mmCIF file with all atom_site columns, all heavy atoms in Angstrom:
data_model
loop_
_atom_site.group_PDB
_atom_site.id
_atom_site.type_symbol
_atom_site.label_atom_id
_atom_site.label_alt_id
_atom_site.label_comp_id
_atom_site.label_asym_id
_atom_site.label_entity_id
_atom_site.label_seq_id
_atom_site.pdbx_PDB_ins_code
_atom_site.Cartn_x
_atom_site.Cartn_y
_atom_site.Cartn_z
_atom_site.occupancy
_atom_site.B_iso_or_equiv
_atom_site.pdbx_formal_charge
_atom_site.auth_seq_id
_atom_site.auth_comp_id
_atom_site.auth_asym_id
_atom_site.auth_atom_id
_atom_site.pdbx_PDB_model_num
ATOM 1   N N   . ARG A 1 390 ? 73.186 83.516 79.091 1.00 98.00 ? 431 ARG A N   1
ATOM 2   C CA  . ARG A 1 390 ? 72.523 82.210 79.032 1.00 98.00 ? 431 ARG A CA  1
ATOM 3   C C   . ARG A 1 390 ? 72.536 81.629 77.623 1.00 98.00 ? 431 ARG A C   1
ATOM 4   O O   . ARG A 1 390 ? 72.727 80.414 77.448 1.00 98.00 ? 431 ARG A O   1
ATOM 5   C CB  . ARG A 1 390 ? 71.092 82.333 79.548 1.00 98.00 ? 431 ARG A CB  1
ATOM 6   C CG  . ARG A 1 390 ? 70.992 82.410 81.074 1.00 98.00 ? 431 ARG A CG  1
ATOM 7   C CD  . ARG A 1 390 ? 69.576 82.674 81.528 1.00 98.00 ? 431 ARG A CD  1
ATOM 8   N NE  . ARG A 1 390 ? 69.431 82.439 82.973 1.00 98.00 ? 431 ARG A NE  1
ATOM 9   C CZ  . ARG A 1 390 ? 68.467 82.952 83.717 1.00 98.00 ? 431 ARG A CZ  1
ATOM 10  N NH1 . ARG A 1 390 ? 67.545 83.734 83.165 1.00 98.00 ? 431 ARG A NH1 1
ATOM 11  N NH2 . ARG A 1 390 ? 68.401 82.685 85.004 1.00 98.00 ? 431 ARG A NH2 1
ATOM 12  N N   . GLN A 1 391 ? 72.337 82.462 76.628 1.00 98.00 ? 432 GLN A N   1
ATOM 13  C CA  . GLN A 1 391 ? 72.362 81.978 75.247 1.00 98.00 ? 432 GLN A CA  1
ATOM 14  C C   . GLN A 1 391 ? 73.728 81.400 74.894 1.00 98.00 ? 432 GLN A C   1
ATOM 15  O O   . GLN A 1 391 ? 73.828 80.321 74.289 1.00 98.00 ? 432 GLN A O   1
ATOM 16  C CB  . GLN A 1 391 ? 71.996 83.115 74.296 1.00 98.00 ? 432 GLN A CB  1
ATOM 17  C CG  . GLN A 1 391 ? 70.539 83.538 74.356 1.00 98.00 ? 432 GLN A CG  1
ATOM 18  C CD  . GLN A 1 391 ? 70.257 84.765 73.513 1.00 98.00 ? 432 GLN A CD  1
ATOM 19  O OE1 . GLN A 1 391 ? 71.142 85.305 72.837 1.00 98.00 ? 432 GLN A OE1 1
ATOM 20  N NE2 . GLN A 1 391 ? 69.011 85.240 73.549 1.00 98.00 ? 432 GLN A NE2 1
ATOM 21  N N   . LEU A 1 392 ? 74.789 82.112 75.274 1.00 98.00 ? 433 LEU A N   1
ATOM 22  C CA  . LEU A 1 392 ? 76.141 81.618 74.989 1.00 98.00 ? 433 LEU A CA  1
ATOM 23  C C   . LEU A 1 392 ? 76.429 80.322 75.734 1.00 98.00 ? 433 LEU A C   1
ATOM 24  O O   . LEU A 1 392 ? 77.012 79.382 75.184 1.00 98.00 ? 433 LEU A O   1
ATOM 25  C CB  . LEU A 1 392 ? 77.171 82.683 75.368 1.00 98.00 ? 433 LEU A CB  1
ATOM 26  C CG  . LEU A 1 392 ? 77.143 83.995 74.589 1.00 98.00 ? 433 LEU A CG  1
ATOM 27  C CD1 . LEU A 1 392 ? 78.223 84.944 75.105 1.00 98.00 ? 433 LEU A CD1 1
ATOM 28  C CD2 . LEU A 1 392 ? 77.332 83.757 73.098 1.00 98.00 ? 433 LEU A CD2 1
ATOM 29  N N   . GLU A 1 393 ? 76.013 80.249 76.995 1.00 98.00 ? 434 GLU A N   1
ATOM 30  C CA  . GLU A 1 393 ? 76.275 79.070 77.822 1.00 98.00 ? 434 GLU A CA  1
ATOM 31  C C   . GLU A 1 393 ? 75.482 77.855 77.342 1.00 98.00 ? 434 GLU A C   1
ATOM 32  O O   . GLU A 1 393 ? 75.989 76.725 77.358 1.00 98.00 ? 434 GLU A O   1
ATOM 33  C CB  . GLU A 1 393 ? 75.952 79.380 79.284 1.00 98.00 ? 434 GLU A CB  1
ATOM 34  C CG  . GLU A 1 393 ? 76.865 80.440 79.889 1.00 98.00 ? 434 GLU A CG  1
ATOM 35  C CD  . GLU A 1 393 ? 76.335 81.022 81.184 1.00 98.00 ? 434 GLU A CD  1
ATOM 36  O OE1 . GLU A 1 393 ? 75.371 80.452 81.755 1.00 98.00 ? 434 GLU A OE1 1
ATOM 37  O OE2 . GLU A 1 393 ? 76.877 82.054 81.641 1.00 98.00 ? 434 GLU A OE2 1
ATOM 38  N N   . SER A 1 394 ? 74.240 78.071 76.915 1.00 98.00 ? 435 SER A N   1
ATOM 39  C CA  . SER A 1 394 ? 73.424 76.977 76.396 1.00 98.00 ? 435 SER A CA  1
ATOM 40  C C   . SER A 1 394 ? 73.992 76.456 75.082 1.00 98.00 ? 435 SER A C   1
ATOM 41  O O   . SER A 1 394 ? 74.027 75.237 74.841 1.00 98.00 ? 435 SER A O   1
ATOM 42  C CB  . SER A 1 394 ? 71.975 77.444 76.188 1.00 98.00 ? 435 SER A CB  1
ATOM 43  O OG  . SER A 1 394 ? 71.375 77.770 77.414 1.00 98.00 ? 435 SER A OG  1
ATOM 44  N N   . HIS A 1 395 ? 74.456 77.366 74.247 1.00 98.00 ? 436 HIS A N   1
ATOM 45  C CA  . HIS A 1 395 ? 75.042 76.951 72.972 1.00 98.00 ? 436 HIS A CA  1
ATOM 46  C C   . HIS A 1 395 ? 76.349 76.184 73.210 1.00 98.00 ? 436 HIS A C   1
ATOM 47  O O   . HIS A 1 395 ? 76.616 75.183 72.525 1.00 98.00 ? 436 HIS A O   1
ATOM 48  C CB  . HIS A 1 395 ? 75.301 78.173 72.101 1.00 98.00 ? 436 HIS A CB  1
ATOM 49  C CG  . HIS A 1 395 ? 75.771 77.847 70.719 1.00 98.00 ? 436 HIS A CG  1
ATOM 50  N ND1 . HIS A 1 395 ? 75.143 76.925 69.906 1.00 98.00 ? 436 HIS A ND1 1
ATOM 51  C CD2 . HIS A 1 395 ? 76.832 78.314 70.000 1.00 98.00 ? 436 HIS A CD2 1
ATOM 52  C CE1 . HIS A 1 395 ? 75.779 76.841 68.757 1.00 98.00 ? 436 HIS A CE1 1
ATOM 53  N NE2 . HIS A 1 395 ? 76.815 77.669 68.792 1.00 98.00 ? 436 HIS A NE2 1
ATOM 54  N N   . ALA A 1 396 ? 77.135 76.619 74.182 1.00 98.00 ? 437 ALA A N   1
ATOM 55  C CA  . ALA A 1 396 ? 78.370 75.895 74.509 1.00 98.00 ? 437 ALA A CA  1
ATOM 56  C C   . ALA A 1 396 ? 78.053 74.488 75.013 1.00 98.00 ? 437 ALA A C   1
ATOM 57  O O   . ALA A 1 396 ? 78.789 73.527 74.716 1.00 98.00 ? 437 ALA A O   1
ATOM 58  C CB  . ALA A 1 396 ? 79.165 76.665 75.561 1.00 98.00 ? 437 ALA A CB  1
ATOM 59  N N   . TYR A 1 397 ? 76.980 74.352 75.778 1.00 98.00 ? 438 TYR A N   1
ATOM 60  C CA  . TYR A 1 397 ? 76.547 73.039 76.261 1.00 98.00 ? 438 TYR A CA  1
ATOM 61  C C   . TYR A 1 397 ? 76.250 72.117 75.080 1.00 98.00 ? 438 TYR A C   1
ATOM 62  O O   . TYR A 1 397 ? 76.672 70.953 75.050 1.00 98.00 ? 438 TYR A O   1
ATOM 63  C CB  . TYR A 1 397 ? 75.310 73.212 77.139 1.00 98.00 ? 438 TYR A CB  1
ATOM 64  C CG  . TYR A 1 397 ? 74.720 71.937 77.686 1.00 98.00 ? 438 TYR A CG  1
ATOM 65  C CD1 . TYR A 1 397 ? 75.288 71.298 78.783 1.00 98.00 ? 438 TYR A CD1 1
ATOM 66  C CD2 . TYR A 1 397 ? 73.566 71.382 77.121 1.00 98.00 ? 438 TYR A CD2 1
ATOM 67  C CE1 . TYR A 1 397 ? 74.732 70.130 79.295 1.00 98.00 ? 438 TYR A CE1 1
ATOM 68  C CE2 . TYR A 1 397 ? 73.001 70.222 77.628 1.00 98.00 ? 438 TYR A CE2 1
ATOM 69  C CZ  . TYR A 1 397 ? 73.586 69.601 78.716 1.00 98.00 ? 438 TYR A CZ  1
ATOM 70  O OH  . TYR A 1 397 ? 73.031 68.442 79.214 1.00 98.00 ? 438 TYR A OH  1
ATOM 71  N N   . THR A 1 398 ? 75.551 72.640 74.090 1.00 98.00 ? 439 THR A N   1
ATOM 72  C CA  . THR A 1 398 ? 75.240 71.846 72.890 1.00 98.00 ? 439 THR A CA  1
ATOM 73  C C   . THR A 1 398 ? 76.510 71.514 72.107 1.00 98.00 ? 439 THR A C   1
ATOM 74  O O   . THR A 1 398 ? 76.717 70.374 71.672 1.00 98.00 ? 439 THR A O   1
ATOM 75  C CB  . THR A 1 398 ? 74.251 72.617 71.996 1.00 98.00 ? 439 THR A CB  1
ATOM 76  O OG1 . THR A 1 398 ? 73.062 72.893 72.731 1.00 98.00 ? 439 THR A OG1 1
ATOM 77  C CG2 . THR A 1 398 ? 73.896 71.809 70.765 1.00 98.00 ? 439 THR A CG2 1
ATOM 78  N N   . MET A 1 399 ? 77.381 72.504 71.941 1.00 98.00 ? 440 MET A N   1
ATOM 79  C CA  . MET A 1 399 ? 78.629 72.283 71.191 1.00 98.00 ? 440 MET A CA  1
ATOM 80  C C   . MET A 1 399 ? 79.513 71.238 71.868 1.00 98.00 ? 440 MET A C   1
ATOM 81  O O   . MET A 1 399 ? 80.254 70.506 71.203 1.00 98.00 ? 440 MET A O   1
ATOM 82  C CB  . MET A 1 399 ? 79.406 73.595 71.062 1.00 98.00 ? 440 MET A CB  1
ATOM 83  C CG  . MET A 1 399 ? 78.758 74.635 70.170 1.00 98.00 ? 440 MET A CG  1
ATOM 84  S SD  . MET A 1 399 ? 79.743 76.162 70.074 1.00 98.00 ? 440 MET A SD  1
ATOM 85  C CE  . MET A 1 399 ? 81.164 75.579 69.130 1.00 98.00 ? 440 MET A CE  1
ATOM 86  N N   . GLY A 1 400 ? 79.432 71.148 73.188 1.00 98.00 ? 441 GLY A N   1
ATOM 87  C CA  . GLY A 1 400 ? 80.257 70.197 73.917 1.00 98.00 ? 441 GLY A CA  1
ATOM 88  C C   . GLY A 1 400 ? 79.693 68.794 73.966 1.00 98.00 ? 441 GLY A C   1
ATOM 89  O O   . GLY A 1 400 ? 80.313 67.889 74.542 1.00 98.00 ? 441 GLY A O   1
ATOM 90  N N   . GLY A 1 401 ? 78.483 68.601 73.417 1.00 97.00 ? 442 GLY A N   1
ATOM 91  C CA  . GLY A 1 401 ? 77.904 67.264 73.398 1.00 97.00 ? 442 GLY A CA  1
ATOM 92  C C   . GLY A 1 401 ? 76.721 67.091 74.320 1.00 97.00 ? 442 GLY A C   1
ATOM 93  O O   . GLY A 1 401 ? 76.255 65.972 74.544 1.00 97.00 ? 442 GLY A O   1
ATOM 94  N N   . SER A 1 402 ? 76.241 68.210 74.907 1.00 98.00 ? 443 SER A N   1
ATOM 95  C CA  . SER A 1 402 ? 75.062 68.194 75.789 1.00 98.00 ? 443 SER A CA  1
ATOM 96  C C   . SER A 1 402 ? 75.237 67.282 76.995 1.00 98.00 ? 443 SER A C   1
ATOM 97  O O   . SER A 1 402 ? 74.290 66.618 77.435 1.00 98.00 ? 443 SER A O   1
ATOM 98  C CB  . SER A 1 402 ? 73.809 67.783 74.987 1.00 98.00 ? 443 SER A CB  1
ATOM 99  O OG  . SER A 1 402 ? 73.563 68.703 73.938 1.00 98.00 ? 443 SER A OG  1
ATOM 100 N N   . ASN A 1 403 ? 76.457 67.258 77.520 1.00 97.00 ? 444 ASN A N   1
ATOM 101 C CA  . ASN A 1 403 ? 76.739 66.412 78.701 1.00 97.00 ? 444 ASN A CA  1
ATOM 102 C C   . ASN A 1 403 ? 77.678 67.107 79.689 1.00 97.00 ? 444 ASN A C   1
ATOM 103 O O   . ASN A 1 403 ? 78.294 66.449 80.524 1.00 97.00 ? 444 ASN A O   1
ATOM 104 C CB  . ASN A 1 403 ? 77.321 65.072 78.263 1.00 97.00 ? 444 ASN A CB  1
ATOM 105 C CG  . ASN A 1 403 ? 78.653 65.227 77.533 1.00 97.00 ? 444 ASN A CG  1
ATOM 106 O OD1 . ASN A 1 403 ? 79.130 66.352 77.313 1.00 97.00 ? 444 ASN A OD1 1
ATOM 107 N ND2 . ASN A 1 403 ? 79.246 64.110 77.138 1.00 97.00 ? 444 ASN A ND2 1
ATOM 108 N N   . TYR A 1 404 ? 77.792 68.409 79.607 1.00 97.00 ? 445 TYR A N   1
ATOM 109 C CA  . TYR A 1 404 ? 78.642 69.270 80.441 1.00 97.00 ? 445 TYR A CA  1
ATOM 110 C C   . TYR A 1 404 ? 80.117 69.229 80.060 1.00 97.00 ? 445 TYR A C   1
ATOM 111 O O   . TYR A 1 404 ? 80.933 69.891 80.704 1.00 97.00 ? 445 TYR A O   1
ATOM 112 C CB  . TYR A 1 404 ? 78.470 68.973 81.939 1.00 97.00 ? 445 TYR A CB  1
ATOM 113 C CG  . TYR A 1 404 ? 77.096 69.347 82.450 1.00 97.00 ? 445 TYR A CG  1
ATOM 114 C CD1 . TYR A 1 404 ? 76.189 68.363 82.831 1.00 97.00 ? 445 TYR A CD1 1
ATOM 115 C CD2 . TYR A 1 404 ? 76.702 70.673 82.517 1.00 97.00 ? 445 TYR A CD2 1
ATOM 116 C CE1 . TYR A 1 404 ? 74.909 68.704 83.282 1.00 97.00 ? 445 TYR A CE1 1
ATOM 117 C CE2 . TYR A 1 404 ? 75.431 71.023 82.968 1.00 97.00 ? 445 TYR A CE2 1
ATOM 118 C CZ  . TYR A 1 404 ? 74.548 70.030 83.347 1.00 97.00 ? 445 TYR A CZ  1
ATOM 119 O OH  . TYR A 1 404 ? 73.287 70.372 83.787 1.00 97.00 ? 445 TYR A OH  1
ATOM 120 N N   . ASP A 1 405 ? 80.492 68.466 79.001 1.00 98.00 ? 446 ASP A N   1
ATOM 121 C CA  . ASP A 1 405 ? 81.823 68.651 78.434 1.00 98.00 ? 446 ASP A CA  1
ATOM 122 C C   . ASP A 1 405 ? 81.846 70.014 77.733 1.00 98.00 ? 446 ASP A C   1
ATOM 123 O O   . ASP A 1 405 ? 80.801 70.510 77.294 1.00 98.00 ? 446 ASP A O   1
ATOM 124 C CB  . ASP A 1 405 ? 82.153 67.553 77.432 1.00 98.00 ? 446 ASP A CB  1
ATOM 125 C CG  . ASP A 1 405 ? 82.464 66.223 78.103 1.00 98.00 ? 446 ASP A CG  1
ATOM 126 O OD1 . ASP A 1 405 ? 82.656 66.211 79.335 1.00 98.00 ? 446 ASP A OD1 1
ATOM 127 O OD2 . ASP A 1 405 ? 82.518 65.202 77.393 1.00 98.00 ? 446 ASP A OD2 1
ATOM 128 N N   . ALA A 1 406 ? 83.030 70.606 77.641 1.00 98.00 ? 447 ALA A N   1
ATOM 129 C CA  . ALA A 1 406 ? 83.146 71.937 77.057 1.00 98.00 ? 447 ALA A CA  1
ATOM 130 C C   . ALA A 1 406 ? 83.717 71.876 75.646 1.00 98.00 ? 447 ALA A C   1
ATOM 131 O O   . ALA A 1 406 ? 84.601 71.051 75.362 1.00 98.00 ? 447 ALA A O   1
ATOM 132 C CB  . ALA A 1 406 ? 84.046 72.814 77.924 1.00 98.00 ? 447 ALA A CB  1
ATOM 133 N N   . PRO A 1 407 ? 83.243 72.722 74.753 1.00 98.00 ? 448 PRO A N   1
ATOM 134 C CA  . PRO A 1 407 ? 83.832 72.794 73.417 1.00 98.00 ? 448 PRO A CA  1
ATOM 135 C C   . PRO A 1 407 ? 85.244 73.370 73.490 1.00 98.00 ? 448 PRO A C   1
ATOM 136 O O   . PRO A 1 407 ? 85.488 74.317 74.247 1.00 98.00 ? 448 PRO A O   1
ATOM 137 C CB  . PRO A 1 407 ? 82.883 73.707 72.653 1.00 98.00 ? 448 PRO A CB  1
ATOM 138 C CG  . PRO A 1 407 ? 82.260 74.575 73.708 1.00 98.00 ? 448 PRO A CG  1
ATOM 139 C CD  . PRO A 1 407 ? 82.157 73.703 74.936 1.00 98.00 ? 448 PRO A CD  1
ATOM 140 N N   . ALA A 1 408 ? 86.166 72.809 72.715 1.00 98.00 ? 449 ALA A N   1
ATOM 141 C CA  . ALA A 1 408 ? 87.561 73.247 72.766 1.00 98.00 ? 449 ALA A CA  1
ATOM 142 C C   . ALA A 1 408 ? 88.189 73.173 71.380 1.00 98.00 ? 449 ALA A C   1
ATOM 143 O O   . ALA A 1 408 ? 87.694 72.468 70.484 1.00 98.00 ? 449 ALA A O   1
ATOM 144 C CB  . ALA A 1 408 ? 88.352 72.386 73.760 1.00 98.00 ? 449 ALA A CB  1
ATOM 145 N N   . GLN A 1 409 ? 89.291 73.886 71.228 1.00 98.00 ? 450 GLN A N   1
ATOM 146 C CA  . GLN A 1 409 ? 89.968 73.952 69.939 1.00 98.00 ? 450 GLN A CA  1
ATOM 147 C C   . GLN A 1 409 ? 91.420 74.365 70.149 1.00 98.00 ? 450 GLN A C   1
ATOM 148 O O   . GLN A 1 409 ? 91.708 75.216 71.012 1.00 98.00 ? 450 GLN A O   1
ATOM 149 C CB  . GLN A 1 409 ? 89.265 74.956 69.026 1.00 98.00 ? 450 GLN A CB  1
ATOM 150 C CG  . GLN A 1 409 ? 89.763 75.011 67.585 1.00 98.00 ? 450 GLN A CG  1
ATOM 151 C CD  . GLN A 1 409 ? 88.953 75.992 66.748 1.00 98.00 ? 450 GLN A CD  1
ATOM 152 O OE1 . GLN A 1 409 ? 88.262 76.858 67.275 1.00 98.00 ? 450 GLN A OE1 1
ATOM 153 N NE2 . GLN A 1 409 ? 89.025 75.848 65.427 1.00 98.00 ? 450 GLN A NE2 1
ATOM 154 N N   . LYS A 1 410 ? 92.310 73.780 69.378 1.00 98.00 ? 451 LYS A N   1
ATOM 155 C CA  . LYS A 1 410 ? 93.714 74.216 69.429 1.00 98.00 ? 451 LYS A CA  1
ATOM 156 C C   . LYS A 1 410 ? 93.827 75.632 68.856 1.00 98.00 ? 451 LYS A C   1
ATOM 157 O O   . LYS A 1 410 ? 93.110 75.995 67.927 1.00 98.00 ? 451 LYS A O   1
ATOM 158 C CB  . LYS A 1 410 ? 94.609 73.245 68.659 1.00 98.00 ? 451 LYS A CB  1
ATOM 159 C CG  . LYS A 1 410 ? 94.732 71.876 69.292 1.00 98.00 ? 451 LYS A CG  1
ATOM 160 C CD  . LYS A 1 410 ? 95.893 71.076 68.723 1.00 98.00 ? 451 LYS A CD  1
ATOM 161 C CE  . LYS A 1 410 ? 95.728 70.771 67.255 1.00 98.00 ? 451 LYS A CE  1
ATOM 162 N NZ  . LYS A 1 410 ? 96.828 69.896 66.753 1.00 98.00 ? 451 LYS A NZ  1
ATOM 163 N N   . VAL A 1 411 ? 94.735 76.399 69.421 1.00 98.00 ? 452 VAL A N   1
ATOM 164 C CA  . VAL A 1 411 ? 94.895 77.788 68.998 1.00 98.00 ? 452 VAL A CA  1
ATOM 165 C C   . VAL A 1 411 ? 95.242 77.885 67.522 1.00 98.00 ? 452 VAL A C   1
ATOM 166 O O   . VAL A 1 411 ? 94.699 78.742 66.794 1.00 98.00 ? 452 VAL A O   1
ATOM 167 C CB  . VAL A 1 411 ? 95.960 78.494 69.866 1.00 98.00 ? 452 VAL A CB  1
ATOM 168 C CG1 . VAL A 1 411 ? 96.406 79.808 69.227 1.00 98.00 ? 452 VAL A CG1 1
ATOM 169 C CG2 . VAL A 1 411 ? 95.417 78.752 71.270 1.00 98.00 ? 452 VAL A CG2 1
ATOM 170 N N   . GLY A 1 412 ? 96.125 77.018 67.054 1.00 98.00 ? 453 GLY A N   1
ATOM 171 C CA  . GLY A 1 412 ? 96.502 77.050 65.644 1.00 98.00 ? 453 GLY A CA  1
ATOM 172 C C   . GLY A 1 412 ? 95.312 76.858 64.723 1.00 98.00 ? 453 GLY A C   1
ATOM 173 O O   . GLY A 1 412 ? 95.153 77.562 63.720 1.00 98.00 ? 453 GLY A O   1
ATOM 174 N N   . ASP A 1 413 ? 94.458 75.900 65.072 1.00 98.00 ? 454 ASP A N   1
ATOM 175 C CA  . ASP A 1 413 ? 93.263 75.656 64.264 1.00 98.00 ? 454 ASP A CA  1
ATOM 176 C C   . ASP A 1 413 ? 92.279 76.810 64.370 1.00 98.00 ? 454 ASP A C   1
ATOM 177 O O   . ASP A 1 413 ? 91.624 77.176 63.379 1.00 98.00 ? 454 ASP A O   1
ATOM 178 C CB  . ASP A 1 413 ? 92.587 74.353 64.723 1.00 98.00 ? 454 ASP A CB  1
ATOM 179 C CG  . ASP A 1 413 ? 93.419 73.118 64.406 1.00 98.00 ? 454 ASP A CG  1
ATOM 180 O OD1 . ASP A 1 413 ? 94.237 73.178 63.466 1.00 98.00 ? 454 ASP A OD1 1
ATOM 181 O OD2 . ASP A 1 413 ? 93.269 72.098 65.105 1.00 98.00 ? 454 ASP A OD2 1
ATOM 182 N N   . PHE A 1 414 ? 92.166 77.397 65.549 1.00 98.00 ? 455 PHE A N   1
ATOM 183 C CA  . PHE A 1 414 ? 91.273 78.538 65.734 1.00 98.00 ? 455 PHE A CA  1
ATOM 184 C C   . PHE A 1 414 ? 91.700 79.703 64.842 1.00 98.00 ? 455 PHE A C   1
ATOM 185 O O   . PHE A 1 414 ? 90.855 80.350 64.202 1.00 98.00 ? 455 PHE A O   1
ATOM 186 C CB  . PHE A 1 414 ? 91.282 78.965 67.205 1.00 98.00 ? 455 PHE A CB  1
ATOM 187 C CG  . PHE A 1 414 ? 90.507 80.218 67.503 1.00 98.00 ? 455 PHE A CG  1
ATOM 188 C CD1 . PHE A 1 414 ? 89.121 80.211 67.531 1.00 98.00 ? 455 PHE A CD1 1
ATOM 189 C CD2 . PHE A 1 414 ? 91.170 81.417 67.756 1.00 98.00 ? 455 PHE A CD2 1
ATOM 190 C CE1 . PHE A 1 414 ? 88.397 81.385 67.802 1.00 98.00 ? 455 PHE A CE1 1
ATOM 191 C CE2 . PHE A 1 414 ? 90.462 82.579 68.028 1.00 98.00 ? 455 PHE A CE2 1
ATOM 192 C CZ  . PHE A 1 414 ? 89.070 82.563 68.055 1.00 98.00 ? 455 PHE A CZ  1
ATOM 193 N N   . LEU A 1 415 ? 92.998 79.960 64.791 1.00 98.00 ? 456 LEU A N   1
ATOM 194 C CA  . LEU A 1 415 ? 93.491 81.070 63.966 1.00 98.00 ? 456 LEU A CA  1
ATOM 195 C C   . LEU A 1 415 ? 93.309 80.785 62.480 1.00 98.00 ? 456 LEU A C   1
ATOM 196 O O   . LEU A 1 415 ? 93.125 81.709 61.679 1.00 98.00 ? 456 LEU A O   1
ATOM 197 C CB  . LEU A 1 415 ? 94.960 81.345 64.288 1.00 98.00 ? 456 LEU A CB  1
ATOM 198 C CG  . LEU A 1 415 ? 95.251 81.845 65.712 1.00 98.00 ? 456 LEU A CG  1
ATOM 199 C CD1 . LEU A 1 415 ? 96.755 82.007 65.916 1.00 98.00 ? 456 LEU A CD1 1
ATOM 200 C CD2 . LEU A 1 415 ? 94.528 83.156 66.002 1.00 98.00 ? 456 LEU A CD2 1
#
Side-chain angles (χ1 to χ4, degrees):
R431 283 174 167 159
Q432 289 174 2
L433 296 179
E434 295 164 12
S435 295
H436 186 49
Y438 178 79
T439 301
M440 291 180 69
S443 299
N444 62 358
Y445 293 111
D446 286 347
Q450 187 177 18
K451 292 195 297 184
V452 165
D454 292 335
F455 174 75
L456 295 177

